[in-house]
Amino acid sequence: MSGYSARRTKGQKIVRFEDYVESAVKNYFKQKGWKVWKDSMPEHAWNLRWSTRSFHSELHKEAKMNQRFNKILGQRNITCKDLLAKNLERMRSRFGTSYDFAPKTWVLPAQAKEFEKVLERTDNSQESGSGAMFICKPGRLSRGRGIFLFRTKTELYDKMKAENERIVKARFEKMERKRKREEEREKKRAQRELRKDNGTRITTSGRTINTSRSRFGSRSPNPKYTYDHRLNARRKLSLSARSKKIHVTDCTIWVVQRYISKPYLLGGRKFDIRTYALVN
C-alpha cells in the first residue's frame, strides 16, 4: 500500500480548489480538518471539488462515488435570472395556472419590442407621468447589484446605460486589484527564489546586493544569474500574457418585471426564501 493510500484509509478528506477562493471558505475547510489538494497529488485524489464557475459535464460523469462538486450540473438554468424566466414561461405554457405564482417577465433585448408595446399601452391607459412601475435587473449578477425602477422607455434605456457603465467600471477595478495582487505575489516569490539560489538580498528600494562571499571574504557577483529586481523574465512574461486575456464584458442581458407595489411583508420588511429541492 502506497503512502498516499495509507493516508486515505485514515478518513482524511481532501478538497480541490479550481480557482480563486475566498479566505472564509478556505478557513472553514481548515477548521474542519480538510486537506487541500496539491499538484503533487494524483489527479483523482480529492473528495470535494470547489469552484466559482460551473464544471464540465464530463467531470461529473467521471466522478467516483465518494467525490462531490459544489456546483450542481445544470443549476444555472434556475440560478440565472434570464434562464429562470425562460424556464418558468416554458412551464407555464405546459402546465397553465400552476405556474402563475411568478409575475410576467421579459428578457431584454430578446423581448425588447414586445415589452416596448406594453409600455406604450400602460402610458396611454394612465395619466401622463404616472405610468405603471417596472423593475429591471441584470440577468447574470447577484446581491442586488444593478437593479433599478422605471416607468417610461426613455427612463429604462437611460438607467440601463448608466448601470451598465457602472458595472463595467466595477468589474475592471476588481480585475485590476486582482492583477496587482498577483504581481505582488509573483514579485515576492521571485525575490525568495533569488535569495535562495543566488545568495542575494533585495533592499526596499529594489536594489540587488550580492551577499555571497568567496573563501577570501570578498564579495563577488554570481555569473549564473542576471536578475530584474521587479520580476524575473519568465514570470514577467507569464503575467503579461495573463493580463492580455483580461477583458471586461458589459451587462448584455436584462430581466424586466412589473413592480409589486404592495408585497407581502414580514415584520414590515421585504424578504425572500430560496429553497432548492433535488428530485432524483
Side-chain angles (χ1 to χ4, degrees), residues 143-202:
R143 304 196 300 273
R145 293 174 294 172
I147 298 177
F148 61 88
L149 302 178
F150 68 95
R151 293 181 185 275
T152 64
K153 175 181 175 181
T154 303
E155 190 177 6
L156 166 64
Y157 290 114
D158 287 346
K159 288 188 176 182
M160 190 180 290
K161 181 180 179 181
E163 284 297 326
N164 194 32
E165 291 175 352
R166 188 188 63 79
I167 291 169
V168 169
K169 182 180 179 182
R171 286 178 174 175
F172 179 78
E173 291 176 347
K174 181 179 179 180
M175 287 181 168
E176 277 294 300
R177 290 194 297 269
K178 183 178 179 181
R179 183 183 63 81
K180 289 180 180 179
R181 288 196 301 268
E182 289 180 352
E183 287 184 348
E184 189 64 27
R185 285 196 294 267
E186 293 286 348
K187 177 180 176 180
K188 291 179 179 179
R189 187 180 294 113
Q191 290 176 347
R192 288 195 300 269
E193 289 183 359
L194 179 68
R195 288 195 294 267
K196 178 180 178 181
D197 299 336
N198 199 21
T200 60
R201 65 182 179 86
I202 300 174

Side-chain angles (χ1 to χ4, degrees), residues 1 14 19 23 62 68 120 129 145 157 161 176 179-180 183 206 218 226 234 260 262 274-276:
M1 182 179 293
I14 298 176
D19 45 26
S23 57
E62 296 172 358
R68 298 290 184 271
E120 292 175 0
R145 293 174 294 172
Y157 290 114
K161 181 180 179 181
E176 277 294 300
R179 183 183 63 81
K180 289 180 180 179
E183 287 184 348
S218 61
T226 303
R234 179 179 61 81
I260 301 175
K262 295 181 180 180
R274 301 188 182 187
T275 305
Y276 297 92

Side-chain angles (χ1 to χ4, degrees), residues 59-105:
L59 290 176
H60 287 270
K61 293 178 182 179
E62 296 172 358
K64 296 178 173 55
M65 291 295 294
N66 64 331
Q67 294 178 327
R68 298 290 184 271
F69 300 87
N70 73 315
K71 300 285 185 180
I72 300 174
L73 186 62
Q75 69 176 33
R76 63 195 304 268
N77 288 292
I78 59 173
T79 56
C80 294
K81 298 181 183 68
D82 57 311
L83 298 180
L84 174 63
K86 292 178 181 178
N87 287 315
L88 284 174
E89 188 62 32
R90 186 180 294 114
M91 298 299 287
R92 185 183 288 110
S93 63
R94 184 174 179 181
F95 297 103
T97 57
S98 298
Y99 279 82
D100 281 347
F101 60 85
K104 174 62 179 175
T105 305

Side-chain angles (χ1 to χ4, degrees), residues 76 79-84 107-108 136-142 145-147 167 171 251-256:
R76 63 195 304 268
T79 56
C80 294
K81 298 181 183 68
D82 57 311
L83 298 180
L84 174 63
V107 179
L108 307 183
C136 184
K137 310 173 185 179
R140 302 295 173 92
L141 285 186
S142 59
R145 293 174 294 172
I147 298 177
I167 291 169
R171 286 178 174 175
C251 186
T252 56
I253 304 176
W254 299 80
V255 172
V256 174

Side-chain angles (χ1 to χ4, degrees), residues 118-136:
V118 174
L119 277 179
E120 292 175 0
R121 289 198 299 267
T122 56
D123 287 342
N124 295 333
S125 62
Q126 300 189 33
E127 296 180 6
S128 177
S130 61
M133 181 75 75
F134 293 89
I135 184 169
C136 184

